[in-house]
Amino acid sequence: MNELLTFVHVGFRHIVDVEAMDHILFLVALAAVYRLRDARMALWVITAFTVGHSISLALAVTGVIRFPSAVVEFLIPVTIVLTGIENLVVAARRRSSRAGWYRPVLAGVFGLVHGAGFANYLNALFVARIALPLFGFNVGIELGQILVLSIAAVLLSILDRAIERASARQGSWAPLQVRIAAVSTIVVIVASHWAIERRPW
Amino acid sequence: MVARPIAAVLLAATIVTISIRDAEAHPLHTTLTEITVDATRHTLRATVRLFADDLTAALLKHRSLRGSDLKDRAAAYVAGNLILSSAGRSIAMQSCGVRQSGDLLWVCLETRISAEPVQLRVRNPLLLEAFSDEVNIVQIGDGPKRRSVLFLRGDGDKPL
């Protein structure tokens, strides 16, 4: 296997591994507001996350910035909580004139935090030659995110069907709003628990 | 009317929170091994980079490697687990030093060789006893000739 493929593999595994629950939960929080027909927008959002992620990795591994691990580890669940809250608060998302651009910006900014989470690890391991490992790692991360997002889309569609069936009986539920509320509430509760556990003080 | 869905959401959140073992951050569990063959000095050297905290977690599972000096234990652990062979014969490696730089340990193993090794194979289960997501990277060669082999849980030896 050549060196580039090696690091694509490492980045991919880093995201799809079950241990990576913080990244997976963040992706689920981002995906929770989209339907299959919004796939292009969802892809923009996770690509923005990867760009933010790559920028902080590049800054850290080139020694421009050194991120304090304890603070970064605390901020990662905080970004998940904020994404969940944003999902809950912005109810009239599709009518918002800013709906097309601010979520990718938000994902990009939060990506900066997530990238910092393992920048120190990559920096320590690949002191002499970082460009190729970094590039391959980020490509792997993006591919892993697309896979996680695809699985999330299927599961959210199944959830939508269940909500539609239930709403047919109840009569008054808006299925997408119920899905956003349910998934985002779970995300906020779980990530809040992590944030409390990881608080640096 | 709305009590049941709210209860379902809270129940799901509780199950997810409990089922995740801990709230630790998600680090990279990775080691990097570089193998170099120096034909002029007739040596084969393996330099292994691994994180001290990861190694400490793995050493807890080895009674025979308990002691005070982390560097000595690192050398013994790596020498006992990183297995190289050439043409079907295992290569005995000796420690050529351990140094620590921040959180990272550099473990050097070396052996003298009479000729360029052929059919070189490697087995690298380092830290897999401690971390299911461990990825061990082994590299040989320089520049465009550099080759990499990945070792994950369950892998045996592989050709380099």
Side-chain angles (χ1 to χ4, degrees):
Chain A
M1 191 185 288
N2 72 32
E3 196 175 11
L4 179 66
L5 275 180
T6 301
F7 290 100
V8 170
H9 191 141
V10 174
F12 182 82
R13 272 185 61 91
H14 185 67
I15 286 294
V16 301
D17 194 278
V18 73
E19 300 276 329
M21 278 306 291
D22 46 5
H23 294 303
I24 292 171
L25 201 67
F26 183 70
L27 292 170
V28 169
L30 285 176
V33 300
Y34 299 117
R35 285 175 284 202
L36 284 176
R37 70 179 103 145
D38 306 318
R40 186 179 291 185
M41 182 46 122
L43 200 59
W44 272 116
V45 168
I46 63 148
T47 302
F49 176 68
T50 304
V51 169
H53 195 273
S54 308
I55 289 170
S56 58
L57 268 176
L59 289 174
V61 298
T62 52
V64 176
I65 298 174
R66 183 157 177 84
F67 300 102
S69 297
V71 175
V72 171
E73 285 168 14
F74 167 69
L75 287 177
I76 287 173
V78 169
T79 65
I80 303 170
V81 172
L82 292 176
T83 305
I85 290 173
E86 192 270 346
N87 289 349
L88 292 167
V89 169
V90 187
R93 182 174 309 280
R94 289 185 145 310
R95 289 194 291 275
S96 166
S97 60
R98 294 179 176 181
W101 65 269
Y102 86 92
R103 277 201 123 230
V105 173
L106 192 77
V109 171
F110 289 173
L112 291 170
V113 177
H114 286 244
F118 40 80
N120 294 342
Y121 285 88
L122 278 185
N123 197 18
L125 273 178
F126 305 105
V127 277
R129 36 177 191 84
I130 189 65
L132 193 66
L134 186 61
F135 178 70
F137 189 78
N138 280 317
V139 170
I141 293 262
E142 180 73 0
L143 294 174
Q145 287 177 169
I146 290 170
L147 177 66
V148 171
L149 204 64
S150 303
I151 293 169
V154 171
L155 295 177
L156 289 172
S157 295
I158 294 169
L159 181 62
D160 285 350
R161 295 252 173 90
I163 293 169
E164 273 168 20
R165 267 193 229 114
S167 74
R169 289 198 299 272
Q170 301 292 342
S172 60
W173 298 355
L176 180 63
Q177 297 306 323
V178 173
R179 179 240 275 190
I180 293 173
V183 173
S184 302
T185 303
I186 292 169
V187 164
V188 167
I189 292 171
V190 174
S192 298
H193 167 71
W194 289 344
I196 292 165
E197 290 282 305
R198 296 184 193 177
R199 68 192 183 281
W201 60 88
Chain B
M1 189 72 79
V2 292
R4 281 174 62 186
I6 290 173
V9 166
L10 292 176
L11 179 65
T14 307
I15 290 168
V16 174
T17 306
I18 291 169
S19 62
I20 296 167
R21 281 174 297 173
D22 54 47
E24 279 181 19
H26 174 229
L28 278 170
H29 291 124
T30 306
T31 67
L32 177 66
T33 301
E34 290 179 308
I35 294 175
T36 51
V37 178
D38 188 334
T40 56
R41 290 182 54 234
H42 300 288
T43 56
L44 183 150
R45 174 176 286 195
T47 308
V48 181
R49 297 177 211 175
L50 70 175
F51 290 99
D53 56 345
D54 292 351
L55 176 66
T56 304
L59 289 175
L60 288 175
K61 309 211 178 246
H62 296 269
R63 281 190 186 168
S64 61
L65 292 173
R66 287 184 185 165
S68 57
D69 191 273
L70 182 62
K71 290 181 180 176
D72 288 346
R73 290 188 293 151
Y77 172 76
V78 173
N81 284 279
L82 181 70
I83 310 295
L84 280 93
S85 66
S86 174
R89 290 185 177 179
S90 68
I91 300 172
M93 308 278 281
Q94 287 85 41
S95 172
C96 47
V98 179
R99 70 183 171 91
Q100 187 160 7
S101 167
D103 301 332
L104 198 71
L105 285 164
W106 300 57
V107 180
C108 171
L109 299 176
E110 197 175 59
T111 190
R112 289 196 65 78
I113 51 172
S114 53
E116 184 98 3
V118 291
Q119 298 172 347
L120 198 58
R121 297 181 72 87
V122 65
R123 182 171 171 268
N124 186 351
L126 293 172
L127 309 184
L128 278 160
E129 67 273 59
F131 306 108
S132 62
D133 61 338
E134 180 71 33
V135 179
N136 294 321
I137 306 164
V138 179
Q139 296 187 317
I140 189 166
D142 255 332
K145 287 186 177 175
R146 186 186 295 276
R147 295 191 307 279
S148 301
V149 181
L150 289 185
F151 289 87
L152 312 172
R153 178 164 277 192
D155 285 346
D157 66 333
K158 294 183 178 181
L160 272 175

